[in-house]
Amino acid sequence: MDLLTELESLAQICDSASSSDVSPRDIARWHTLFNFNALQAEEEITCHRTNLNRIAISTEHWATVQVEQEALGHNQESYSYHLSHRAKASASPKPSTQLSTLSLAQQKRLLKKRWLLRLSHELATAEKIQEISHLPTPPRILLDEEDPTVSFVEVDIIAKEAIEKHMYPSSTHFIVHRVSAEKSLADTCIAPTLGLDATMPQHRLSVSDTPVPQQNMYPVPYFFYGTLAEEDRLVALLGLEGKPALTPAKVRRARVEMRGRYRGLVDGSEGDEVDGWMFVVGSERHEDALRGYEGDAYEVVRCEIFGEEGVGGMKGLTFRFCEEVVG
């Protein structure tokens, strides 16, 4: 930077510092760019104008970036604030969650959680989120059901904290996204199966055998207990036109227990049985709705479903409680 440019920058700082009036337009701009409320915006603008150590944007510098930055909503002053606080953030990053300090159960729970972030302004594309979060691929985009012009990306805790660090000290608004029950059925062994350890020799399949149900096999029988066995709930969840066909049934090597605030189906001993209902899920769309209702405290597992009197036996699926209760 030559002497003339330095003098120009200093003059700009002194000139803006002497002008303390904050216009409604300035407040609106800073609210949009940095998520400040009106009072916060006025305070930040005033502090920025009186900060003689802030990064000053020369007329020459602004001319080279003006088109790009105005498209993002910046004027010269807000752009200066943005650069000043990015520099400050690199020296004073927002503390992150240290996964290594958490128990394995807490780590597992946290890594399963997901958040939604609205794409806008500096965080306008999935590719930008990928760059900031160091993701191998762009995160998936979700459209608002009521306004398709509004889009979100889904991120995990690691990406969330990378974005917060990038945007610090500006706050970034995330929406907690409910995660569906996991469904990951092995195609070469019986895992996961209710009440059985797939690693035990007596439960291993021969090379020619295929475990059923398979991951994407429909229709598929499910064993329900508790609220999922309520007719009205199934009608609402699945958008059924008539009453669901529920058949009395039971599963073995299982029991229902209270785990924290949940009452869930868990592995049991050889003589344990749980009574409930069988329902045939006809499509992946219906299954997704059921998985979304159960949430990430449960997982889809294979099971054998028996008739009310314990006769027969049909290969099917159910929701097993998998959340580890801490403390």
Side-chain angles (χ1 to χ4, degrees):
M1 182 182 291
D2 59 27
L3 179 60
L4 182 61
T5 303
E6 285 189 57
L7 291 173
E8 179 187 359
S9 297
L10 183 59
Q12 287 180 353
I13 291 174
C14 294
D15 181 61
S16 62
S18 64
S19 176
S20 59
D21 292 335
V22 179
S23 71
R25 187 173 182 178
D26 289 332
I27 291 174
R29 183 190 304 277
W30 286 48
H31 165 71
T32 301
L33 290 171
F34 308 117
N35 291 324
F36 294 140
N37 61 34
L39 181 60
Q40 290 172 329
E42 184 172 4
E43 290 177 348
E44 289 292 327
I45 293 170
T46 301
C47 289
H48 179 67
R49 289 176 179 176
T50 57
N51 178 15
L52 299 182
N53 293 319
R54 71 178 186 266
I55 295 177
I57 308 300
S58 67
T59 303
E60 181 181 3
H61 179 179
W62 179 243
T64 63
V65 299
Q66 183 174 1
V67 173
E68 177 185 3
Q69 294 305 318
E70 285 185 345
L72 296 174
H74 283 292
N75 63 5
Q76 192 167 343
E77 181 178 56
S78 65
Y79 178 58
S80 168
Y81 175 88
H82 170 69
L83 292 185
S84 298
H85 282 72
R86 283 289 303 280
K88 180 181 177 182
S90 65
S92 304
K94 180 181 182 295
S96 61
T97 301
Q98 298 297 319
L99 289 176
S100 60
T101 66
L102 304 177
S103 69
L104 290 177
Q106 291 171 324
Q107 289 181 33
K108 182 178 179 181
R109 183 184 301 114
L110 190 57
L111 289 171
K112 286 168 63 176
K113 291 185 178 297
R114 295 293 182 270
W115 288 263
L116 295 180
L117 172 67
R118 181 174 177 174
L119 293 175
S120 62
H121 305 297
E122 184 175 348
L123 306 175
T125 66
E127 288 73 21
K128 183 63 177 179
I129 302 300
Q130 177 189 8
E131 175 189 342
I132 294 171
S133 307
H134 305 291
L135 298 172
T137 58
R140 68 178 181 133
I141 296 177
L142 303 173
L143 299 181
D144 189 294
E145 293 181 357
E146 297 181 358
D147 184 356
T149 64
V150 176
S151 56
F152 300 83
V153 289
E154 183 185 68
V155 297
D156 62 11
I157 182 62
I158 297 174
K160 175 178 179 288
E161 292 190 343
I163 294 166
E164 288 175 329
K165 181 178 179 181
H166 177 80
M167 297 300 293
Y168 182 84
S170 301
S171 60
T172 306
H173 180 61
F174 292 89
I175 303 170
V176 177
H177 191 208
R178 183 175 173 84
V179 179
S180 298
E182 183 178 1
K183 183 187 181 187
S184 183
L185 306 180
D187 56 8
T188 58
C189 70
I190 66 170
T193 294
L194 183 67
L196 293 179
D197 183 352
T199 64
M200 298 297 289
Q202 65 269 32
H203 299 145
R204 293 175 186 168
L205 299 176
S206 65
V207 176
S208 60
D209 288 338
T210 300
V212 290
Q214 287 283 287
Q215 178 75 11
N216 298 309
M217 183 182 292
Y218 304 99
V220 59
Y222 262 80
F223 174 78
F224 291 158
Y225 61 96
T227 57
L228 269 186
E230 298 172 2
E231 291 183 345
D232 290 345
R233 193 175 302 274
L234 283 175
V235 169
L237 276 174
L238 306 182
L240 303 177
E241 295 182 357
K243 287 187 175 182
L246 290 166
T247 304
K250 63 176 59 182
V251 289
R252 295 172 178 168
R253 296 183 300 276
R255 60 179 183 270
V256 175
E257 289 185 352
M258 290 299 300
R259 296 287 184 95
R261 58 192 178 93
Y262 294 97
R263 180 175 177 269
L265 186 74
V266 298
D267 291 337
S269 302
E270 191 64 35
D272 292 330
E273 292 184 348
V274 174
D275 293 322
W277 303 83
M278 186 191 75
F279 176 76
V280 177
V281 176
S283 67
E284 184 177 12
R285 182 174 65 85
H286 281 180
E287 185 182 62
D288 286 346
L290 296 169
R291 290 172 56 210
Y293 172 78
E294 288 291 67
D296 63 353
Y298 295 84
E299 62 182 340
V300 177
V301 298
R302 295 183 172 109
C303 66
E304 192 166 8
I305 304 172
F306 295 88
E308 189 175 15
E309 301 300 325
V311 297
M314 179 182 297
K315 302 292 185 181
L317 301 171
T318 191
F319 291 101
R320 179 173 65 188
F321 186 81
C322 63
E323 185 88 340
E324 295 185 58
V325 179
V326 180

